Each structure stands twice: as structure tokens, then as C-alpha cells.
Amino acid sequence: MNLTFALIAFLILASAVLAATRRDLIHSALLLVGNWLGVAFFYLWAGAEFVAFAQALVYVGAISMVVLFAVLLTRRMRTELPLLVATRDRVVSAVLGGAAVFGVLAVAVLRTPLDTNPAKPAGSVSMLSLGQQLMGPQAAAVLIVGVLLTVSLLGAVVLASSDADGKEGAP
Amino acid sequence: MNMLQACLLLSSALFCIGLVTALSRSNTILVLLGIEIMLNAANLNFIAFWRFSPAGSAPATGVIFVLFSIAVAAAEAAVWLALVIALYRHQQNIRLQEATRLKG
Amino acid sequence: MNLSASSLWLIPALPLLAAAIGALTPRGGRSLASGAAIIAMVGALGLSVAALGTALAHPAAHLTDNFTWFSIGTDAVRLGWLLDPLTAFMAVMVSFVGLLIFIFSLGYMKEDANFTRFFCFLSLFAAAMLGVLVANSLLLVFVCWELVGLASYLLIGFWFHKPSAAAAAKKAFITTRIGDLGLLLGMLWLYHVRGTLLFYDGGNGVLEPSSLALLSHGKIAGGIALSTAIGLLIFCGAIGKSGQFPLHVWLPDAMEGPTPVSALIHAATMVAAGVFLIARVYPLMLADQHLANVSVHALTVVAGIGAITALLGAAIAVGQNDIKRVLAFSTVSQLGYMMLALGVGSWVAAIFHLLTHAFFKALLFLGAGSVIHAAHHEQDMRRLGGLGRRMKITFATFAVGMMALAGVPFLFSGFWSKEGILHAAHAWPVSQLPLIAGLIAVVLTAFYMTRLVAEVFLGSPRSDAASHAHENSPVMTVPLVILAIGAVLLGLIGTPAWPWLQSNLGGVVVPAESIFEGPGLMVLSIVLVCLGLGVGWALYGWRKRRDAFAPDPLAVAMPGVFAALAAKLGFDEFYALTFGRLNQLLAVVADGLDRWVWGGIISGVAWMGEALGTFDREMDESGLNGGFDAASEKLRGVGNAYSRAQTGEAHGYLRTLAVAFVVLALLLLLGGVL
Amino acid sequence: MPLLSFIVFAPWVGAGLLAVLRGAKPAVARGIALAFSLSTLVLGLVVLAGFNPAAPGFQFQESAAWITSLNVHYHLGLDGLSLLLVLLTGIVGPAGLLAAWKQPGSPRAFGILFLILQGSALGVFLALDFFHWFLFWELSLVPVFFLIKLWGGAGAGRAAYQFVIYTLGGSVFMLLGFAAIFAATGTLEFGQLAHLSADGILAGRLSALGHFWPQVVFVGVFLGVAVKVPLFPFHTWLPPAYAEAPVGVSMFLTGVMSKMGVYAFLRILWPIFPGQLHAAAPCLLWLALGGVVLGAFAAMRQTDLKRMIAYSSINHVSYCLLALFAVCAATGHSGISGPAVTAALGGALLQMFNHGLSAAALFFSVGVLESRAGGRRGLDDFGGVRSAAPVFAGLCGIAMFSSIGLPGLNGFVGEFLIFRGVFGLVPWAAAIGCLGLFATAFFYLTFWQRVFHGSRSGAAKGEFADVHGVERVTLIPLIALMIVLGVLPQLLTGLFNPLVTSWVSQIALP
């Protein structure tokens, strides 16, 4: 345990918890940005600089914008309705479920004898070797991801514009 | 408890927060944000295992996997934005519990 | 006047050019089309006479001019022009008779709306026929031969709005095409064996000695020499075109065309082509004569077919009531004579008869045309009568033609040419049957021609048309007079006393003895002619027919025979019943094969696919589904329960997932796996 | 300059242009389609000018590596045979478009489909590598399907499906056959395959896969080609397809597309599988004779004029196959007659061109009749048309007599040479084939007599205009060409004489 890790962990968890509990969507979204930044710091701390930049770029830069768009486009729902009885039940059951999952996971993590070598941490990957990996052995995957991006983009466009004339879709 | 386990616990906690968010909130956007959190938790695991795995195993696989995961997340985000908008068009709100038309 | 072989092509080219002009002239340009046609014929006649001069200057020579039509691979398909006395005499005859018929047509077709088209077709007809004459290649002969067929098709069906004319045209084309297929096969065979179709090519032609020796040495199955087989196949073409038995059926129907066309077909062009072709390839037909160990000689078949045709045609002519049909069957009969002459070895006699026949038959047809024109297209001789007083020139010229055809002695050309044939038949060592057939036909010919003249020109008119008939204009009568003069004079150049034509045709001097063996046969044939004339006069001339409905005296005397003859011995019906049926049957079979067998296999395969699908579905539904249905009825309750779990609530699903995960992980943890 | 690529792709460029010009007026669309269709003729004449008629091999070759991993080359080349067919396409294509000039429906869509079809056909005639050859071959089906289905008559849908399924079915076998060849040899280049076949390597390699493979592959490729030609009895798709297609398309189908099959026989099947063809020839001769004789007799029974001409098309194309199979049957015999082989092959090539002309003209004539009679085209729907429309009757009559094989018109030379060759190789086949000649004359004259002769009746009873305007422009060049080629066949034979000679020299090898 070192201090940096503790700080990062705190940032991540605190922002996540706050985001999960805020009423105002905008606040939640902004807190989540903090959460994602924390994750990026974690990557940086772990020596994966490139991933950290990617995380910052994609999540902080792009997905947060998407979230904001979504919020603004559906702004009648900026704040949630008051808690109803049924909703409160759900919150309780959710917290219970989450706790159970965490318990199980924590037990599993702690009970597992993980063979690690913290004394000799794997050296950080250079950009060059990463690029060579991506363009070499992983080229197929890169291509597939490219296709996936394209397809999902198209799909998104289709979904969003499916009934642009405002007509009701299928009943 | 070594460093790896700490990292794994962190990611477990983050995952559960995400799960609770997704389960408890009725706003579709927030549900999806919860899912994003869970995704990030999974990514944390990759990096942790990569960072603390014994030297000599696959050099950069974890990093590359996370990169792809981020890319997929970006794609996913685009799709869910569209979904949210479509949902909003259909029912004039984005409460997830009301989107039950496809029930059996 | 001389004309070399290399400019021989001008003879058919001139009428062809006229035909092209006629084809491109609009309907109004009557004088242009007819003028071009007649000028072209005059030109062709002039060139033919010039060619005759050249040919007579080089007796026994075959002047040729060969050229390459096109090349295929390394082979060249060669054609050529040929000038010899046979070509020259025939060309002069065709262009002269043709010219007279053209002139006659000016008057005859005056009122027709398609006047220009008529002259176009006539010119094409003449061009094609002249092409047959000047060709030095069997292929070129075939090309022109088919064009003759086309022209005859167009002309016989000239009044195409009449269904009978359209049918007759088709019949003529199809019937002659059957013969032409034989010719085609013979030609292919010859081409295959010899590699050329040129008749004369400086020693390499198919009719030259080296080739003939090769052809007569080859044997095919059944002891038939190669040359015999090829010769007989070529003869098939002649059978079709010259209206020989058994393909003579188209010739009488061809009367549906305008009368000048009948004259052209029957006298100068189409039917003469067959006789000419055999005369042209005569060396080939003769090639097997010296062979002893063959089962059949080509010429024997020719003689047999000729004898049958001569007899048959003359007999059927007796029973006809239509002027043109009588003349048509007389043509069949006379062509039989020519074939007979060819068969018994005297092609010179055949060509002599062909030339004289061309004149008097053209004369007779044009005379008949003159009658028909005057009598407003009344052709039934029972409804004519008494025209001799009204149409004196026509009557006189027609009588000349009739006597020439009947073979009235000494003065008329037909007598001399027919005598030549009878003498040749008598001298034939193989059999005397052709002679007997020929002699019987002599009687019949004299008889039916007497009948024709008596019915048409003597007695009293038996219809309005006949009683109002009057002589035609000079444009129609002058050709008649010229032809009548020709019909008389032409005989003089081929008499035994001065066999000029015979000597010049063959290129060797013919001594009189070889065509005239003494007066015995001649006396016999004169007696027979007189017998025919006498019986005819007794039956038709002495007691004149009273009205159109009086029965024919012959029909009274021998009703069965007359009915059979009037029905043309039932050839048409017989062919319709056999070959027509066969043709139909083949068509039905071919169509049925397509519709039912091949189509059936296809739809069978489709049906099988469908059946398989049905079977599969049935199996699924009754067999498998039956069991499944029962099972699934029970499962349905479970399914309903499951479906209730499908709330559509995303939260619920996610929660279930989480709980399930916890349970699973707990199980694993407790189980000690993790 | 890649002249051959221009020839192939110019029609496609035209199709693309039409596709882009969405708002083009009908007249403009027709004009563009016609212009690009005529490009084939123009470029064909340019090629003709630069063509060396004395050389037997391929000229104007273009070759470029395309898919190196599959050893596929983009390879175009032209010899006398291809040139003949390119010129034919250049004549029949525009004529087909002109025949559709006044047709209802969108001329733009028709033009696009027609030009795609024309380009594919040209590709088939010029490609020398199986890969893109097959692409062109199959691609031609698509526009035909839509042309028949969208512009055809009452039974068009069924006819179009039948056509496509039938030919596609044949092609599948061909594709499988070539897949096996590729697996065995690693090349799809026609020239190389022919060499391999001549050296006996191909058969050896295929046998290595299994002793029955050479036969299986042959049958597969054969089926694909036989359906396309079509060889009797694979012809049942043809009458409905030709009859239901709009006239312009029928013209193209019979004029060009049936030649694709014969072309494939000559370019692919014959050089690559000479041994198997020789072994199968006695049987194939009967099939070709079946097409010649039964095709003609079946035509006699048809009352639909287009079906009648469709059957006559089967008859005429079968003559080409008859010649080819006779050559195959005689190959290897010691006494084989060189001139006969020359005549048979040359005649088959001439016949391809001549039949294309005359059948296209006849379909066009039926189209004229159909347009006057409001879509009726039965044998009994007309009568005495010659009185009403003498010029039309004359032109149609010339086309008909050309098809009958009258000397002086183009049809005769090809048929004479075919019969001359077949007689020299397999005499009995020529004798039986003569029956087809007879039957052809019979049904054509019946057609002529019923429709043109007699008194005016049926559709010809009332107003019946003679050919005019566009119709004359279409028909008269075709007819003029028939006469010219009938008198001067050297114009065509000069193009392919060296080719035929080289074929013959290859056969003559013991």
C-alpha cells in the first residue's frame, strides 16, 4: 500500500459514490468525469501511460460529451421524480445486491493466493512497442475494431433518425 | 495483502458501485453510466494484472486489451446515446422501467 | 460478234440490275421498271447471241473464267463462268423467249396495281435462270438454282391475297426444296471427294476425265459407284425443279400465278433448269456406264423416272378442265420426255426438245393467257368455246403450238425433236419400256391437245365471258406470232437431213443415221399421232359441247378412269396422308418432347423438391410435432411461468444477473474451487 | 491505349452516367443509352482498323496482376473470333435499344440495365482469365432478369425466374469444375490451361485428385456452357424467356447471348477438354442433331410468333454445335480431312454472326407486328400484312429467307460451310441435319403465308402503318448487311482465316 494508490482509490470510489447518489443528472455526469480521471491516474500510476491518455481522451473528452448531449436532449428529465415507495424498495435491494457481490468478490480476491512479483514490476510499455504490437500481431483485431466502430456509428445514426418525421413507431 | 489484491479490491468496489447505480436509478442515462463504471472496473483489473504479473508473461496484452475495451466503449456510447434518444422519442421520458414493450 | 467467258457474267447481271431497279422503284414508276426489265432482256439477248458466236467458233471447247469467291482457312471457294454451246444455245433461248414473255406481260398485267413489282420479280427470275446457265461451278449453279426457286415463289404467289396462290407458292417452294436437299447432299459429297465444285478447271474440274475416273472407281455400299450415288443425288434436284414424278405435284398448282409467269416457269426458266442441270453434269452421269459390276446405272434411273413422268403427265392432262392445268400436265409429260432422252443417252435430243418445247409451250401459255385475259379470267374450258371466230390471231397461233406439241409431222418443230427422243429410246440397249411409254404418251398428247382446242376455240360460247371476248392488243399478239414462227422454224435446224443443232451442241458432227434409223419408227409415231388426233376429234370436235354442264364424253365412256385422272391420280391426297402426316407427327413429337418430356423432367424435379418439402412438413407436423405438441402442451405452463419472468424491466434482469452471480460464486467458494 | 478495356467498360460508364442523371428526360436518356451502346461498334471498327488479319493469336492484349494470392490476372485479348462477336454486339446492341425506342416504362432504367448487359457480354468475349470471365458471364444474368421481369409480357416473371435459375444452375457446376481445375493447377488463365491440357498435364493433375475427376470437371463445365447455348435438351428455358422478353432484349438474347455459349465452347471447353469432348462426341452429335431437327419441327407447332423464332434460334445455334461436335468426333482419326475441318469451323463462326443478324432482324419484325396489334403476336392474329405494309413485308421477307439459308443472303454461306464440313467428317449427321433445313423452310413459309399473304384480316384489317422512322433506321442496315455479307463473305472470313488455320493445324497433330 502506498499513498499514491490510496489517494487514487479514494478519488475513484468517492466520485463514483457521489455520482451514484446525486439527484441532478448534470452533477452526476460531472462527478463521473472525475471518476474517469481517477481511473486514468490509476493507469498512469501503473505505468500504462498510453492507456491513460486514451482513457482521458475517450472518456473525459468524448463520452462525457455524449452524456451531456444525452442529458440536454432529454432535459425534461434533468431531475428525477421524488422517491416513491417502489423506488425506495429498489434502492434497498440494489444496495443489498451490490454489497453481496462485493462481499463475494472480496472473499474470492483475498482467498486466492496470487502469485505476484512486485519487486520486479513489468517495465512500462513504450509507445513504439505498443504500436508495433498493434500493427503487427494484433492487426486483425485493430481492423475489426475499426469495422465495429463504423458499424456502430451507422447503427447509432439509424437508431437516432429512425422516425425523424415524428411519427409513432410500432405500437 | 499485496498490491495486486489491493488493486483488485478497488476494482471490485468500483464495480459494485456501478452495479448499485445501475440497479437503483430509474433514469436510463444513469443506468448506462453505471454500466460504464463497471466497464472501467474491469479495465482496472486488466491493468493491475498486467502491472503485477510475473515478468516474462505476455508483454503488453493487458494494455492492448484495455485499449480495445476503450474503443468498444466509445462505440457503445454512441449507440446508447442513440438508444436514449430513440427511447425519449417513443415515450417522451427516459425512465427505464417504462421501457417494457418487449416483455414476453 | 464475240463474247469471252470473262464477260459472260454480264448476261445474268443485266436482268439482275433491272430487278434491283424494279425493287427500288415506287409503285408509280411503271414504265421505269418495265422499261428497265425489257432493255435488260434485250441486252442479255444480244450478249447471248454474241456468246453463241463465240461458242460456235470454238466447238467442243469449254471456255472458262474462274475466280475465288472467298477463302476459308487455307481453302478457297472458287466459282466461275463457263461458255460452251450448251450454255450459249440455252442462253439465247431463255433470253429470247423471256423477252417475248416480258413484252406480253406489258399487256397482260396492265391493270395490276403491283406492276412494277411484277417486272422486278420477272427480271430476278430471268437473271437467276441465266445464272444457272453460265455457271461453271455446281455451287454457283446451286446458288442461282435457289434464287430461281425464290423468284418462282414470289411470282406464283404474286396474287398473294388469294389464299390458293399463297398456298401454291409455298407448295412449290417446299416441294422443290425437298429435291434441292438431295442436290445439296450430292454437291457436298462431290465437294468432299474432289475438293472443288468447278465443272471445268484446266483438268482439275469435276467433269474432267481425271476426276471422273476417280469418281467411278470409288464404290459405296450395295455395289453402287460413287459417281452413281452423287449423280442420283444431283438428279433429285432436277426431279424437284423439273416437276418429275414423284415431285411433280407443285407444277400444276403453280398455275395460280399470273399466266406470263406460268409461261416463264413452264417454258424457259424453272423446269428447264432441271433438264439443263443433268445435261450439264452429263459426263458425271455417264461415268458409271462402262462399269459392269454395279447394281445400278445412274442414267437407267433417269430414263425410268422420265418414262413414268411422260406417261403420267399425259394421262392426267386428259382429265383436266382448266386450260392452264392441261398445259401444266403437258409440261410434266414433255419434261418426262426430256429426262427419258437424257436417260437413254442422248442429251442432245433432250436439249433439242427443250429448246423447241420452250417455244411452243411459251406460245401455248401465252395463247392461253390471251384467252384468259380476253375472257375476264375464265379458265374453265367447259365455260369457254367458240373463241376461234372472235380471236383469230390467238386461235391461229395456238393451233400452231398445239400441233407442235402434239407432234404433227414434218412442218412443226415438236415433231422433229420428239422423233429424236423416240429414236434414241429405241436405240437404248437396256430396255424398250421407255419407248413404249413414250409412244403411248404420243397418243395421249395428241388426244388431249385436240380436246383442248376443240373445247376452247370451236363450238359456241358457253358463258357471258366467252361470248364477249375479243382479240387482244398487238402487245400481246405480236409475241404470239413471233413464237409461232419460232415453233415452226426451229425444227428445221435439227432435222435428220440437216442436224446442225445436234452437231453444234455436242461439238462433234452428228451423222444423220445416228439420230434416224429408218422410216419404220417414224411411220409408227405418225400413225399414233393421227390416232390421237382422230379420237380427240371424234369425241370433242365432231359433236360439240352444248353447255357448260354437259358431261365430258370421256367421263361418260369411262367414268372411273376419268374421275381418277381428274383427281390427278390422288397424288396430293396421298402425300397429304403420308408425308404431310409424317411432317405433322414429327412436329407434334418435337413439340410434345419439349412440352412434356423435357419440360416434364424439369417440372418433375421441381415437383420432387416440392414433394420433399411437403413430406418434410408433414413429417414434422404429424410425426415429430405430434410428439412435441403433446410435450409442449405440458411445457406451456412452464413457458407461461417463464414468460411472466420476462417483465421487460431491465433492472429486474440486471438484478437477477447479480443475484445469480452471487449464488454461483458462493457455490464455487464453498466448493473450494476459488 | 487500353482499347479493349474501353470497349468493355464504355457501356458501363454509360450505365453509370444514366444512373447519376436521375432527372434526365426520356429522350435524353434514350440518346445517351444509344450513344454508349454504339460505342461498341465504333471502338470495334477502330480495333478492326488496327487488327492484323494475318496473325492467328491474340492482339491488343492487356494484362495486369489483380489478385496475386489467387494468381488471378486481369487479362483481355482479342482474336478473329472475339472481334467477330464484338462487332456483332456492336450491331445488335444498338438495334435492340432502337427496338425499345417507343417502349413504355422508364427508358433510363431500361438503358442502364441494357448497357450493363452489353458490357458484360463484351467482357465475356474479351476476357482471357476464368476469374473475371466468369464474373462477366454471371453478371449478364442480373440485367436480363430485370429486363424480362419488368418489361416482359404476361408470363414474364416465371420466364425470368426459369431463365436465371436454369442458367445459374448450369454455371454453378461450371464454377465447381473450375474450382477443381484451380486446385489442381493453380491457374485460371485460358491460354495456360489449354497448354497444360495439350501437354496432358491437366488430366494428370486432375487424376491425382481422384481418377474420376477429369470427367466430373468436364461434365460440370460442359453443363454450364450447354445450358447457356442452349444445347438440346437443356433448352427449355429459352422459348419462354425469348418470347416473354421485350423485343429489344430478345434481339440481344438471341443475337449475342446465345453466342456467349458457343464462344465458351470454342474458347474454353474445346481447348481444355479435347479428349473428353472427343469421347462424348457421338452422343453430343445426336444432341446437336436433336436441336437442329426437333428445334425446327417444334417451331412448326408454335402459334406464338416469338416462340417460333425462339425455336428457330435453337435450330440455328445447334448448327454451330453440330459443326463443332463433328470436328471433335473426327479429331484424332488418321484420315481426318483438313478442308472439312476448316469448313466446319469457319462455317460455325460465320453462322454465329449470321444468325445473330437474321434472328435479331426477325425478332425486330415480330416486335413491329406486336406493336401494331397491341401486344398480340399469334400466328392467327394477322393476315394480308403484305398488302398493308409492303416495305415491311419485303424487309422481313429478306430476313426470313436469310434465316432459311437462301443463297445470296448471309445465312447460306455459313450453313453451306457447316454442312460441307460435317459431311466430310460425319456424313450421316449431315444427312439427318438436312431435315432441319427442310423444316426451317416449312415453318418460315407457313409464318409468311399466314401473316403476310391472304386477305387482310386480324390486326391488319384496320389501320396498319408500314415501317417508318426509327423502325426503318433499325431494320434497313441489318438487311443491307445481310445482302452484303451474302455476296461478299470474304469480309468476315478474312478476319478469322488464320485463326481457323491454326486450330486446324492443332487438330491435325496425331
Side-chain angles (χ1 to χ4, degrees), chain C residues 69 71 73 153 160 583 591 594, chain D residues 235 302 311 448 454 487 490 497:
Chain C
W69 185 22
S71 59
Y153 173 79
F160 55 82
N583 200 14
D591 190 47
D594 251 41
Chain D
H235 66 277
Q302 304 306 319
Y311 271 106
W448 181 257
V487 179
Q490 184 70 39
N497 272 341

Side-chain angles (χ1 to χ4, degrees), chain B residues 53 62 65 74 90:
Chain B
S53 61
F65 224 113
H90 273 282

